[in-house]
Amino acid sequence: MMPIMDPARPPSWLTYFGVPSATAAKDAIEDAGGFVMMGPHEVPGGDWIVVGIDPQGAAFGVVGPQGN
């Protein structure tokens, strides 16, 4: 859980999917017509995340090792 960063935005959930490589997932998101909003970047605990938007506009995240 994270604190509310912008009081003008309502609280929400973001679904994360486990992946074997955050770097490969970033490439796959872009290749499939999605948009990467953030990442890949390392988070506490050593995993890496990418936050993206699919071609229909749904936001989601992926989490896993950095990979290649």
Side-chain angles (χ1 to χ4, degrees):
M1 304 272 293
M2 296 180 60
I4 295 175
M5 303 302 276
D6 180 358
R9 293 181 60 200
S12 63
W13 291 97
L14 182 64
T15 302
Y16 280 81
F17 299 95
V19 295
S21 166
T23 301
K26 175 192 177 292
D27 293 340
I29 291 165
E30 293 171 334
D31 290 347
F35 175 75
V36 174
M37 294 175 31
M38 174 175 52
H41 72 265
E42 191 173 12
V43 294
D47 278 332
W48 289 69
I49 66 167
V50 175
V51 177
I53 299 177
D54 75 12
Q56 290 75 40
F60 65 97
V62 296
V63 59
Q66 182 180 19
N68 346 343

